[in-house]
Amino acid sequence: MADTENAPPTPRVEPVWDQNRTRRDEPPAAGTSSGPFGTSGGDRTTFAAIAAVALAIGIVNAFSGAQDAAWRGDSYDIGRRLFWEMSSISVILLLLPILVLAVRRMRRTSGLVARAAIGAITLLGFSAVHITGMVWVRKLALWLAGGAYDFRFSLATVLYEFRKDAVTVVLIAGTIWLLESRRELKSAAVAPPAPPQPSPDVIWLRDGTSRIRVVPRDILWVASAGNYIEYSLADGTQHLIRGTLAAAESELARFSIVRVHRTKLANLDRVRGVDLKASGDFELVFDNGQTLGGSRRYRPAVASLGSRTAPDGIATAD
């Protein structure tokens, strides 16, 4: 705070592809609302608290200065001293959003030198704007009242005001830093744990209220069964899941599980032989000995499995 004498201050079931889900409707992070300067409700509370403290300090300074003047035999003149304090405080409060942005920038910046540079630039800019704004507020107010104000500009006066601004910036910025740290800790404490990120080589099937973890490598085939699709695994396990074969085909294609029949998908990575029929249809032989028939319409899907044919008519996969 500053006065005209420059006196020292006293301041059933459906498949779930978890890996494709995205989170929506997340609450905005603190300080990133649509308010001015990206302020949130918490920021406005902080501003109000700092303003209340600044006003209280200004009032105490004014009364203390007036009392000191009276003891020296000068005029008490509390009104004039309150005007000096309030004109300075009003400019400081207008600059609070800049200090908030500077503190947040410093918190996001790594390196002591970079942080110190941001702090120095903020301090110099704050002090320059504060001194200029305070002087012009006083000049305008006194001009309207028919008087005049002389700042007595000199290097000594500017350094005197800068020293007080440095203390003000450190105290306010330190308070904002502590409040930001407390807000982050509070948010981290109440935030729900992030859902586990599934492995790209794992899919999840929902069976009622339960989720079943399936490794695509373990799937032999998937077959349509009315409104359901049946997953057959290499260990003999079967899962009946509500859904469509088309949806399963779209999701499983990246695991080399492709359509080999109008109602069937097969895991080509588990195929060890292909029995080609004269009709154009074919039969797949899996690595565990199980077989699955395919139709000629989808014969191109297995064409790349093998290029040599065994004497018994079975094309073996290389």
Side-chain angles (χ1 to χ4, degrees), residues 54-245:
L55 289 173
I57 293 175
I59 292 173
V60 170
N61 284 347
F63 277 95
S64 297
Q67 185 63 60
D68 289 342
W71 286 338
R72 294 194 303 267
D74 296 334
S75 171
Y76 188 76
D77 199 1
I78 185 62
R80 180 171 61 89
R81 294 181 180 275
L82 281 174
F83 171 67
W84 303 142
E85 292 292 336
M86 294 305 107
S87 60
S88 174
I89 291 173
S90 63
V91 178
I92 291 175
L93 296 182
L94 289 175
L95 294 175
L96 279 182
I98 296 178
L99 292 181
V100 172
L101 294 178
V103 168
R104 288 176 178 163
R105 181 62 180 270
M106 291 177 66
R107 291 174 62 85
R108 293 194 302 266
T109 302
S110 60
L112 182 60
V113 175
R115 286 182 172 181
I118 295 174
I121 293 173
T122 301
L123 173 58
L124 292 174
F126 178 94
S127 183
V129 176
H130 171 239
I131 295 173
T132 303
M134 174 187 69
V135 169
W136 281 103
V137 167
R138 294 174 179 179
K139 284 182 175 292
L140 178 61
L142 290 178
W143 176 76
L144 292 175
Y149 173 74
D150 182 11
F151 178 62
R152 301 172 185 174
F153 180 84
S154 67
L155 179 60
T157 302
V158 171
L159 291 177
Y160 173 77
E161 295 294 342
F162 176 78
R163 183 172 67 248
K164 292 190 292 180
D165 284 341
V167 174
T168 300
V169 168
V170 169
L171 291 177
I172 295 178
T175 300
I176 296 173
W177 188 291
L178 292 176
L179 291 175
E180 288 286 308
S181 298
R182 181 176 180 274
R183 182 181 300 171
E184 290 181 0
L185 290 175
K186 185 177 180 180
S187 298
V190 301
Q197 296 298 319
S199 165
D201 295 329
V202 172
I203 63 174
W204 290 84
L205 307 179
R206 178 176 293 158
D207 186 2
T209 58
S210 302
R211 290 187 176 185
I212 304 170
R213 183 176 182 270
V214 175
V215 178
R217 167 69 182 171
D218 294 339
I219 299 174
L220 289 184
W221 69 79
V222 182
S224 175
N227 293 328
Y228 297 85
I229 49 178
E230 181 181 20
Y231 288 77
S232 297
L233 307 186
D235 62 359
T237 303
Q238 294 182 332
H239 298 291
L240 196 61
I241 305 298
R242 182 180 293 275
T244 65
L245 194 65

